[in-house]
Amino acid sequence: MRIVLLGPPGSGKGTQAALLKDRLGVPHISTGDLLRAAVRDGTPLGIKAKAAMDAGELVSDELMLGLIEERMGAPDVKAGYLLDGYPRNLAQARALDELLDRLALPVDKALALTVDEEQIVHRLAKRAEQEGRSDDTEEVVRNRLAVYREQTAPVTGYYAEKQLLQEVDGMGSIEEINQRLTTALG
Ligand code: B4P
């Protein structure tokens, strides 16, 4: 199965992907996790990406395309994928389609988690307490939500036009949402 997981920051994409990947037997590819690892390791990509991430802005499309091309070309992706955090704007959505056509690994389904904004701010404030991620401060979270509304929300329309989109209610317990996603995957 080749799945793109969409939804605002804090909607539970990473949380749910970690639960689904074993059941589906496909790798979970999170661009956020790949970027945080690059920052931690001090790679040239990490050094360039850090300022944008800390401000809650998107890292440049050019850097992201290089990262995703490298990851999607790895042998484990032949089994399928659960892509989390990419694409985050329309240019990335188009670039991803081109890449996946080239690899003959097109998207089967785009699942979009819907969560209200108050709940997002609450979840990320809690994660800030627990994990101390530099982009979970209230000010940066508000900016991430604004970036989401302006740049990422249109991506759901892109997949709707292709008849690949399915929206899933992302409110409730982690287990409830996991059940809904499993049902949506059929
Ligand atoms: P991401 O790592 O993708 O950050 P995120 O949107 O917050 O999602 P995440 O998966 O971490 O959180 P989740 O919703 O699961 O991106 C971080 C940054 O990297 C971006 O701001 C950007 O700068 C950069 N970036 C990444 N991809 C990029 C791209 N394609 N282009 C450009 N830049 C890019 O969980 C959030 C919290 O909620 C967790 O603490 C979790 O425990 C909790 N939670 C989850 N489900 C819950 C539930 N049902 N109830 C209560 N709490 C729940």
Side-chain angles (χ1 to χ4, degrees):
M1 264 225 155
R2 298 184 292 266
I3 314 279
V4 166
L5 211 48
L6 303 170
S11 57
K13 302 181 300 288
T15 306
Q16 294 297 332
L19 296 172
L20 287 174
K21 71 175 167 102
D22 293 333
R23 197 174 314 151
L24 296 174
V26 300
H28 168 208
I29 299 173
S30 157
T31 47
D33 286 350
L34 292 171
L35 287 169
R36 280 184 289 279
V39 170
R40 210 165 36 240
D41 296 346
T43 67
L45 167 70
I47 291 164
K48 286 186 198 140
K50 189 177 186 316
M53 292 175 76
D54 283 349
E57 299 291 335
L58 296 183
V59 174
S60 78
D61 289 345
E62 196 192 342
L63 284 179
M64 293 311 298
L65 188 59
L67 179 73
I68 204 77
E69 272 183 336
E70 190 185 332
R71 184 63 187 90
M72 299 309 279
D76 62 341
V77 177
K78 297 259 185 296
Y81 50 80
L82 201 50
L83 195 50
D84 155 17
Y86 193 97
R88 255 184 162 84
N89 60 30
L90 288 173
Q92 290 186 5
R94 293 188 193 107
L96 179 66
D97 268 351
E98 259 172 48
L99 170 67
L100 295 176
D101 278 350
R102 231 186 303 142
L103 296 170
L105 295 170
V107 173
D108 291 322
K109 207 170 253 194
L111 295 174
L113 286 169
T114 56
V115 177
D116 66 47
E117 210 162 301
E118 212 176 301
Q119 173 69 8
I120 287 171
V121 174
H122 172 75
R123 287 183 190 176
L124 295 180
K126 199 160 161 206
R127 183 168 70 184
E129 265 171 40
Q130 288 164 349
E131 296 177 20
R133 233 172 82 169
S134 58
D135 60 348
D136 279 343
T137 62
E138 191 177 337
E139 195 192 338
V140 177
V141 166
R142 298 237 174 252
N143 193 37
R144 285 163 64 196
L145 286 170
V147 168
Y148 176 80
R149 277 193 298 269
E150 284 161 25
Q151 301 190 50
T152 310
V155 173
T156 54
Y158 177 87
Y159 286 106
E161 269 177 32
K162 292 178 170 281
Q163 319 237 313
L164 294 175
L165 182 73
Q166 191 159 350
E167 290 195 309
V168 175
D169 180 5
M171 299 286 287
S173 72
I174 289 170
E175 188 41 46
E176 280 166 346
I177 298 159
N178 191 243
Q179 271 305 325
R180 287 179 204 137
L181 284 168
T182 305
T183 306
L185 285 169

